[in-house]
């Protein structure tokens, strides 16, 4: 029985675990150029602590775990963590920038992790360099192709930024013609240090209109809305894949939210935008009981957007995205 039910009746069965705060890319919307301050290793969960806490959530009813970061694949003991988590009765997913995927395909297959969200914001090599401040475009693109060929269920996450990559919307959708993959356009969201402002946002309506004008209105087919889904999904008629829009800013999906988060330093967050965190790790290390803390954290979940009256407050009152885990 699931006991992770908040005061608005939402049942939580999905845990997103950030394995590490650091990253091998420096996406401008996520991470400051110089990276984030290095912290003492002791401040982060060990493998045993992470598995212990994950097990608690599974006992309470979590059925889906997503590994994220920072970049989860730069975690030294990634394969071992994956192996342990694969023994839990959960569906395993991962969000990655894809740079190191080729080194881990076999481990992922062995663990039965076959849902991959791979982040790629542009199909142009020079733009990739601008947005990530690194030069790994070809590797990421090849790894996406390889993941599809190996039968992984692949979604490509593209954060849309006005006048930077919104001219590539149709090119991304074209990728779904002969590839069984989902494109997920993500609205640019505000986090500490990422220079967000409303003029950089590309709305859901703009994406749909662009697609409809190009492919023809009657050829844009809406997929049924799945429970707890974050994206509104569409398909171009006769295309293999689909595309969706995650419009957290303009059209949030808080009413059906089933997600909880565990940061790499062992803090529980009941919402991406919540600045109230529960320190599970310190209590665990002090021999305390994290059960009641987890349940209290769920009960404290706000109706929407972490209780922020204005999402732009997330710029000053929340962590940088890379330390939360997307
Ligand atoms: N490094 C991995 C990656 O890039 O996929 C996992 C962590 S990353 C923080 C998770 C997701 O959050 C990525 O798809 C990334 O594009 C997205 N993201 C980061 N900052 C964002 C922002 N300000 N607005 C919207 N999405 C963002
Ligand atoms: Fe790294 Fe992912 Fe953030 Fe880019 S979005 S800097 S890849 S954590």
């Amino acid at each position: 029985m699931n006991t992770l039910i908040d005061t608005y009746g939402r049942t939580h069965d999905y845990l997103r675990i950030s394995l590490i705060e650091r990253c091998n890319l420096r996406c401008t919307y996520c991470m400051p150029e110089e990276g984030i301050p290095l912290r003492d290793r002791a401040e982060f969960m060990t493998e045993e602590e992470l598995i212990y806490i994950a097990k608690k959530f599974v006992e309470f009813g979590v059925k889906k775990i997503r590994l994220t970061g920072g970049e989860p694949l730069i975690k030294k003991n990634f394969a071992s963590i994956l192996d342990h988590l694969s023994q839990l009765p959960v569906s395993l997913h991962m969000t990655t920038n894809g740079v190191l995927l080729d080194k881990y395909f076999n481990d992922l297959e062995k663990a039965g992790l076959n849902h991959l969200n791979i982040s790629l914001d542009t199909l142009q090599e020079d733009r990739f360099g601008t947005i990530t401040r690194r030069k790994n475009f070809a590797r990421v693109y090849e790894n996406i192709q390889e993941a599809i060929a190996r039968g992984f269920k692949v979604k490509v996450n593209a954060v849309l930024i006005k006048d930077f990559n919104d001219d590539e919307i149709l090119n991304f959708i074209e990728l779904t013609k002969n590839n069984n993959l989902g494109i997920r356009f993500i609205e640019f969201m505000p986090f500490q240090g990422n220079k967000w402002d409303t003029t950089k946002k590309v709305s859901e309506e703009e994406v749909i209109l662009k697609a409809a004008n190009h492919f023809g209105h009657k050829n844009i087919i809406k997929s049924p809305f799945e429970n707890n889904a974050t994206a509104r999904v569409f398909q171009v008629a006769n295309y293999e894949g689909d595309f969706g829009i995650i419009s957290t800013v303009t059209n949030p999906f808080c009413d059906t939210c089933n997600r909880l988060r565990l940061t790499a330093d062992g803090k529980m967050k009941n919402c991406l935008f919540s600045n109230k965190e529960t320190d599970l790790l310190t209590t665990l290390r002090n021999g305390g009981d994290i059960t009641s803390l987890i349940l209290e954290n769920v009960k404290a979940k706000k109706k929407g957007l972490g209780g922020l009256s204005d999402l732009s407050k997330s710029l000053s009152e929340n962590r940088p995205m890379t330390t939360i885990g997307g």
Side-chain angles (χ1 to χ4, degrees):
M1 200 187 75
N2 190 309
T3 43
L4 302 171
I5 303 174
D6 71 7
T7 54
Y8 298 92
R10 293 172 295 198
T11 301
H12 296 78
D13 57 6
Y14 176 10
L15 178 68
R16 302 171 68 107
I17 304 179
S18 172
L19 297 187
I20 188 163
E21 289 187 352
R22 285 178 297 113
C23 187
N24 46 356
L25 299 184
R26 293 280 180 277
C27 304
T28 53
Y29 51 73
C30 178
M31 171 84 92
E33 182 157 17
E34 63 284 6
I36 45 160
L38 276 183
R39 293 166 61 188
D40 195 321
R41 278 174 72 141
E43 293 179 39
F44 297 103
M45 294 183 289
T46 63
E47 182 173 331
E48 291 70 30
E49 288 163 343
L50 186 154
I51 303 297
Y52 178 88
I53 297 175
K55 275 187 182 157
K56 277 273 173 226
F57 277 90
V58 174
E59 281 166 23
F60 289 144
V62 160
K63 294 196 167 53
K64 169 176 172 181
I65 290 180
R66 176 177 300 279
L67 303 179
T68 177
E71 173 48 38
L73 293 179
I74 65 167
K75 181 84 178 164
K76 288 255 164 16
N77 49 350
F78 174 81
S80 174
I81 292 173
L82 179 66
D83 182 43
H84 281 99
L85 291 176
S86 72
Q87 289 157 35
L88 301 177
V90 289
S91 157
L92 283 177
H93 301 233
M94 178 167 66
T95 303
T96 170
N97 60 34
V99 174
L100 295 174
L101 262 179
D102 46 308
K103 303 198 167 33
Y104 286 103
F105 278 130
N106 293 339
D107 293 307
L108 295 167
E109 284 168 353
K110 192 165 145 243
L113 189 159
N114 59 358
H115 292 82
L116 287 175
N117 284 39
I118 307 173
S119 302
L120 181 68
D121 306 311
T122 174
L123 300 170
Q124 300 177 18
E125 189 154 13
D126 55 337
R127 274 193 190 171
F128 182 92
T130 306
I131 192 92
T132 67
R133 304 180 179 113
R134 295 290 183 274
K135 296 187 186 314
N136 301 92
F137 175 78
R139 178 97 68 84
V140 174
Y141 196 78
E142 280 161 22
N143 282 343
I144 291 173
Q145 299 295 336
E146 170 84 13
I148 297 169
R150 284 177 177 247
F152 285 90
K153 292 188 172 46
V154 176
K155 287 182 188 150
V156 168
N157 286 359
V159 176
L160 287 179
I161 302 175
K162 189 79 157 180
D163 297 330
F164 175 72
N165 61 355
D166 51 339
D167 57 341
E168 295 190 60
I169 290 172
L170 297 175
N171 298 343
F172 271 110
I173 296 176
E174 266 309 317
L175 278 184
T176 68
K177 184 171 185 177
N178 300 313
N179 288 303
N180 185 10
L181 93 167
I183 302 293
R184 293 295 175 264
F185 296 114
I186 306 179
E187 267 182 6
F188 183 24
M189 298 183 277
F191 294 98
Q192 212 182 86
N194 79 354
K195 302 196 177 80
W196 176 91
D197 73 68
T198 47
T199 63
K200 293 185 185 150
K201 160 195 98 202
V202 181
S203 73
E204 183 171 343
E205 285 69 32
E206 280 176 76
V207 175
I208 298 168
L209 195 66
K210 225 175 207 172
N213 285 341
H214 181 79
F215 296 104
H217 286 256
K218 66 175 189 330
N219 290 323
I220 304 295
I221 298 153
K222 194 166 189 210
S223 307
F225 191 71
E226 282 171 25
N227 254 355
N228 311 122
T230 52
R232 275 157 275 265
V233 180
F234 302 84
Q235 193 168 29
V236 179
N238 302 317
Y239 277 26
E240 259 192 73
D242 58 32
F243 68 97
I245 303 132
I246 303 180
S247 46
T248 315
V249 181
T250 56
N251 198 357
F253 32 81
C254 305
D255 289 354
T256 56
C257 182
N258 65 340
R259 288 171 291 281
L260 298 170
R261 292 180 154 78
L262 179 63
T263 62
D265 57 357
K267 311 275 195 318
M268 177 178 173
K269 272 172 97 75
N270 58 26
C271 172
L272 183 57
F273 295 107
S274 164
N275 54 12
K276 304 267 183 314
E277 303 178 345
T278 302
D279 186 352
L280 301 182
L281 184 56
T282 302
T283 300
L284 180 65
R285 286 182 178 171
N286 291 338
D289 175 22
I290 62 168
T291 303
S292 55
L293 290 185
I294 292 174
L295 297 177
E296 278 161 25
N297 182 292
V298 174
K299 291 283 183 240
K301 181 158 172 157
K302 304 283 191 209
K303 190 163 188 287
L305 299 177
L308 292 180
S309 53
D310 171 0
L311 208 52
S312 65
K313 291 206 169 114
S314 179
L315 287 168
S316 55
E317 295 178 15
N318 203 354
R319 295 169 171 234
M321 177 61 135
T322 187
T323 69
I324 305 172

